[in-house]
Amino acid sequence: QVQLVESGGGLVQPGGSLRLSCAASGIIFRFYDMNWYRQAPGKQRELVAGIGSHGGTNYVDFVKGRFTISRDNAKNAVYLQMNSLKPEDTAVYYCNGHRLSPPNDYWGQGTQVTVSS
């Protein structure tokens, strides 16, 4: 059974930091591209950052310079370090595991991040 379990969300003041973690099981983790998405109330789910199976990273413009994605294949884990958080970063953050061949797509249950004073 495949599981992606996020942790590390919470309430933080503007300008603060959080580190999200996603622990994967039931997949050959090193073969998967791993992504972080987020969904704010009333908005569509959007990609935040991704890290490929070979370690290449990509970020959407609104988090560049503030967020860092990383992975540890030995621990089957992916992380999202979020610095300089803004109220508009408030959302449920989801971990996603994606593989093209064979095609597979898995999601975690999400972790709430709230940025507020």
Side-chain angles (χ1 to χ4, degrees):
Q1 181 181 0
V2 177
Q3 282 192 310
L4 299 179
V5 180
E6 301 98 333
S7 60
L11 173 65
V12 64
Q13 290 188 342
S17 298
L18 283 175
R19 187 188 192 221
L20 305 183
S21 300
C22 172
S25 60
I27 60 173
I28 304 176
F29 182 78
R30 66 185 184 274
F31 290 161
Y32 278 74
D33 299 332
M34 300 301 297
N35 304 295
W36 286 98
Y37 284 76
R38 71 186 186 187
Q39 188 167 19
K43 295 188 176 181
Q44 289 189 330
R45 191 172 297 189
E46 60 184 0
L47 177 68
V48 175
I51 184 165
S53 59
H54 295 292
T57 59
N58 63 280
Y59 300 90
V60 294
D61 285 346
F62 53 77
V63 305
K64 282 182 180 177
R66 301 190 297 125
F67 292 9
T68 303
I69 190 170
S70 60
R71 67 189 294 160
D72 186 337
N73 288 344
K75 295 182 178 180
N76 286 1
V78 62
Y79 308 98
L80 186 68
Q81 177 66 45
M82 305 186 295
N83 300 327
S84 302
L85 282 161
K86 305 175 181 181
E88 51 264 43
D89 294 318
T90 295
V92 178
Y93 284 71
Y94 296 91
C95 176
N96 164 257
H98 178 72
R99 186 176 181 181
L100 283 176
S101 181
N104 279 309
D105 210 37
Y106 299 108
W107 293 89
Q109 82 290 347
T111 185
Q112 176 70 48
V113 171
T114 302
V115 185
S116 175
S117 55

